[in-house]
Amino acid sequence: MDAQGRGRADDIDPADQWVLNPDTGEYELRLAASAPQSPVPGPRGPGAPGRSGAGGATRTRTASPGRPASGAPTRRSGAAAPGTDAPAGRRRGAAPAQPEAGRRGRRPAQKPKGKKVLLWTGGTLAFVLVGTSAAAYLYYEHLNDNITSVSDDGAGTGGFSKDRAINILLIGTDKRTGEGNEGYGDKNSAGHADTTLVLHVSKDRTNATVLSIPRDLITDIPDCPTTQEDGTEKVIPGQQRTRFNNSLGQEDRTPSCTMRTITELTGLKMDHFMVADFNAVKTLTSAVGGVDVCLAKDIKDKDSKLDLPKGEHTIEGEEALAFVRTRHSVGFGGDLSRIELQQQFLGSLMRKLKSNDTLTSPSKMIKLAEAGTKALTVDSQISTIKKLADLGAELGKFDTKNLTFATVPVVDNPEEQVKATVVLKQPQAQQLFAMVRDDVSLTEVKQQKKKEKAAEAARLKGTKAPASEVRVRVLNGGAVSGSAQETLSWLQVEQGVTKSENGGNAPEQLARTTLEYAPDQAAQARRLAAIMGLSGAAMKPGESVDNSQGLPAMTLTLGKDFKGAGVPLTTPSKVPDDVQKSTADKVECAK
């Protein structure tokens, strides 16, 4: 993003702001304080955590090397910049006296030795952003000041982990924030979850899936505990049978409420969220020098103001925003057609971000760092450059050919005469959700989880005991009320598992059904897994329990994924045929 786009004029390109520090012999980037971001719904005001920016959006100040924690005095004159030997008494941001060779506008002939380039990946409307600081200590504090954060209100996992899959909720809001956006979105609205993507990165980092959630999907919004301006918590009542996009902005709902709605809908627990407004598309596409798109026909949309002839184009700024907003002139002219168009755009942006043309350009990388940190509102768990960098290191590992975009399968709402909303298409939607929950790639990845698959296959192979010898206690751990008794009757009457009994409710609810067994019960476990349609991942080697007769038995706990007696729980190995999907490495033309 350019300087003017955020009120930092003087026609200064960030790439031209490197100056030589004679005390360290290194080039440093000197920038003025960043301008505020566009606000999103969230706790605001004196009682909210962190520092308020324009519009009341919370800016979290986190302790970092050379930087005090929130509420502590910030460094002023007399303090050296973190990681430098700069003399005391120099005002922050003031450039030191320099020889002629180090004056502003002179770039280094080569990168300083011994300094590692910090590559980080975050998300915006493309939801995967690659940025950099040439030396972490030079740019760290400035970029931290750009970041706006909002509490996740306990709706997430508490933070991603390097040893498990990562789930990130990515929201594009239609709130009219930012210069030149008065004519977009819904006037006087607090904004909606207008574009919603769930980014799932596999545990082994070989692949990723992006699920697009239609904004007009009819779903249930749960009760949402939300942090208020004064720091207190308020529970915003849930809403049954409403549009998904009402999960943000409406009734003062914050991104944490969209998080909870996604978990209720898909069974996926989110690690983090990122929210972008209209400016995100404009600034990021300009930062990379434009995004290549292809049109299979002329498009002239008076609503989005997109006017492009058939063929290939490189678009940025306002034109890029018009492209991702257009819907009346593509496909069937609705939101589902726009989703497909956006996926094509994001795939192209991803290719551009990963290209050598971008990664080897200091100017583009600096602009991306500026644009990304200003365009996003993130949850407070990743509100510093250090945390975003750690997350980005994980997100950048997969190849674009293994990044799959898929739209949640839906059909027209049968309750409406005039079709305006959609509902989940079953069982395809649940099958797709199960694949993502169980970390199954939507593309063929040869090296994916070979050891895990081998171990899972081993658990399912071998001798199976007769059904009459299977001894098991059935517990309800999150399934619909009555599921344990229903399953017990089905096992005993229809499957011949007569040595089974109802163990009541489990001590805690589980997202997935599990079968725990002792080593000497492996043959029984294999038989029951075959009867129930359990995958190897559902089988949990452990200990046996005593049943009502005092005899050792296995424990079958029915989780939230349980759909009824006789309904297999095995995760599909391939995407249902009628699920719309594409991969980020393919060039597709909008129709």
Side-chain angles (χ1 to χ4, degrees):
M1 171 171 53
D2 60 20
Q4 296 80 2
R6 287 286 175 173
R8 305 182 55 231
D10 300 329
D11 296 317
I12 298 173
D13 185 330
D16 293 327
Q17 294 181 296
W18 291 95
V19 296
L20 178 69
N21 185 337
D23 300 296
T24 65
E26 305 290 358
Y27 284 87
E28 300 181 0
L29 186 65
R30 298 296 181 183
L31 293 175
S34 60
Q37 292 178 259
S38 302
V40 297
R44 302 176 290 275
R51 178 168 60 88
S52 293
T58 303
R59 300 268 182 115
T60 300
R61 304 276 298 195
T62 305
S64 58
R67 175 190 180 122
S70 178
T74 54
R75 176 172 51 82
R76 298 299 181 190
S77 61
T84 71
D85 296 320
R90 189 168 72 234
R91 177 174 56 84
R92 181 192 299 182
Q98 312 152 23
E100 183 63 29
R103 294 194 184 279
R104 181 171 296 181
R106 298 287 300 276
R107 292 190 178 94
Q110 61 183 31
K111 296 179 181 178
K113 295 182 179 180
K115 303 299 181 185
K116 292 183 178 181
V117 175
L118 174 63
L119 287 177
W120 60 276
T121 313
T124 60
L125 193 54
F127 302 115
V128 182
L129 163 67
V130 181
T132 186
S133 60
Y137 72 87
L138 297 176
Y139 216 10
Y140 187 91
E141 187 172 354
H142 168 71
L143 293 178
N144 268 339
D145 286 341
N146 287 347
I147 299 171
T148 297
S149 67
V150 176
S151 174
D152 70 356
D153 296 312
T157 62
F160 76 96
S161 173
K162 294 183 179 181
D163 58 2
R164 59 176 169 80
I166 299 174
N167 294 311
I168 301 177
L169 172 63
L170 309 157
I171 307 172
T173 177
D174 60 354
K175 187 174 182 180
R176 294 183 175 188
T177 53
E179 183 178 353
N181 297 324
E182 297 83 2
Y184 303 141
D186 187 4
K187 185 177 181 181
N188 300 323
S189 170
H192 302 79
D194 194 54
T195 297
T196 303
L197 307 174
V198 174
L199 170 63
H200 171 87
V201 182
S202 67
K203 179 180 178 181
D204 63 8
R205 307 296 187 256
T206 63
N207 65 92
T209 298
V210 176
L211 289 182
S212 293
I213 313 294
R215 67 177 188 180
D216 296 322
L217 173 65
I218 295 298
T219 189
D220 295 337
I221 299 175
D223 293 344
C224 299
T226 307
T227 304
Q228 301 299 293
E229 295 182 3
D230 59 0
T232 61
E233 187 178 274
K234 171 187 176 183
V235 177
I236 300 175
Q239 192 172 356
Q240 305 297 305
R241 304 288 298 168
T242 186
R243 277 182 168 89
F244 174 86
N245 68 352
N246 287 328
S247 64
L248 177 70
Q250 311 310 300
E251 309 297 331
D252 293 327
R253 295 187 179 104
T254 67
S256 67
C257 192
T258 308
M259 259 185 153
R260 296 183 195 277
T261 305
I262 285 290
T263 299
E264 288 288 322
L265 178 68
T266 67
L268 287 164
K269 186 86 168 180
M270 296 294 101
D271 294 302
H272 301 289
F273 66 72
M274 297 179 179
V275 183
D277 59 18
F278 290 134
N279 280 342
V281 180
K282 295 193 285 188
T283 58
L284 281 163
T285 53
S286 294
V288 297
V291 174
D292 300 327
V293 298
C294 176
L295 303 182
K297 64 178 183 180
D298 297 346
I299 293 182
K300 189 169 186 178
D301 188 342
K302 62 181 180 61
D303 292 319
S304 70
K305 299 177 177 61
L306 180 66
D307 187 357
L308 287 175
K310 175 183 177 180
E312 297 181 353
H313 305 272
T314 300
I315 59 176
E316 63 176 282
E318 291 285 349
E319 196 168 44
L321 178 60
F323 184 87
V324 298
R325 292 188 68 250
T326 194
R327 59 189 174 116
H328 299 302
S329 300
V330 293
F332 296 105
D335 186 53
L336 296 179
S337 296
R338 183 176 67 163
I339 285 176
E340 190 171 348
L341 187 76
Q342 289 174 344
Q343 291 173 350
Q344 295 166 5
F345 177 85
L346 297 179
S348 180
L349 178 55
M350 187 65 187
R351 293 192 296 273
K352 188 65 173 284
L353 291 170
K354 290 262 190 177
S355 69
N356 288 333
D357 181 55
T358 298
L359 296 177
T360 60
S361 169
S363 174
K364 288 183 180 179
M365 298 301 276
I366 292 167
K367 288 179 179 179
L368 277 168
E370 289 287 323
T373 52
K374 290 176 181 177
L376 294 175
T377 295
V378 302
D379 68 86
S380 53
Q381 304 290 343
I382 49 171
S383 59
T384 68
I385 291 300
K386 174 63 169 62
K387 292 178 181 178
L388 283 172
D390 290 343
L391 175 60
E394 299 302 307
L395 300 184
K397 291 179 179 178
F398 58 84
D399 194 298
T400 52
K401 68 181 180 181
N402 297 326
L403 170 60
T404 307
F405 294 97
T407 303
V408 173
V410 294
V411 294
D412 287 334
N413 188 348
E415 298 178 2
E416 296 176 334
Q417 290 185 342
V418 178
K419 305 304 181 184
T421 62
V422 294
V423 296
L424 292 178
K425 183 177 183 179
Q426 302 292 15
Q428 289 87 342
Q430 292 303 330
Q431 291 172 343
L432 182 60
F433 296 155
M435 291 185 71
V436 179
R437 285 196 305 266
D438 291 344
D439 207 20
V440 177
S441 175
L442 272 59
T443 57
E444 291 295 331
V445 184
K446 293 182 180 180
Q447 67 271 35
Q448 182 188 20
K449 300 184 286 295
K450 287 184 178 179
K451 292 183 179 179
E452 293 180 20
K453 288 186 174 182
E456 179 176 327
R459 287 195 291 270
L460 292 173
K461 287 182 178 179
T463 304
K464 297 180 178 67
S468 59
E469 294 182 8
V470 174
R471 190 178 290 112
V472 61
R473 298 182 76 232
V474 183
L475 279 66
N476 191 329
V480 175
S481 179
S483 292
Q485 185 58 45
E486 177 192 1
T487 301
L488 179 66
S489 300
W490 179 75
L491 287 173
Q492 291 180 340
V493 176
E494 298 187 33
Q495 303 300 320
V497 184
T498 55
K499 296 178 181 179
S500 52
E501 64 181 34
N502 188 341
N505 291 327
E508 61 180 352
Q509 294 194 347
L510 303 178
R512 295 170 54 185
T513 297
T514 61
L515 173 62
E516 183 173 0
Y517 59 97
D520 61 351
Q521 296 172 318
Q524 294 183 46
R526 293 188 192 105
R527 174 58 65 189
L528 188 60
I531 292 173
M532 295 289 298
L534 300 177
S535 68
M539 300 175 70
K540 181 181 177 183
E543 300 178 352
S544 63
V545 295
D546 290 339
N547 65 11
S548 58
Q549 284 79 42
L551 299 174
M554 301 182 295
T555 301
L556 174 65
T557 305
L558 307 178
K560 293 180 180 179
D561 63 340
F562 183 73
K563 298 298 184 295
V567 180
L569 290 173
T570 305
T571 302
S573 60
K574 60 177 292 186
V575 182
D577 292 337
D578 50 356
V579 171
Q580 180 273 322
K581 70 183 184 74
S582 61
T583 52
D585 63 320
K586 298 290 194 304
V587 177
E588 298 187 41
C589 296
K591 300 178 181 179

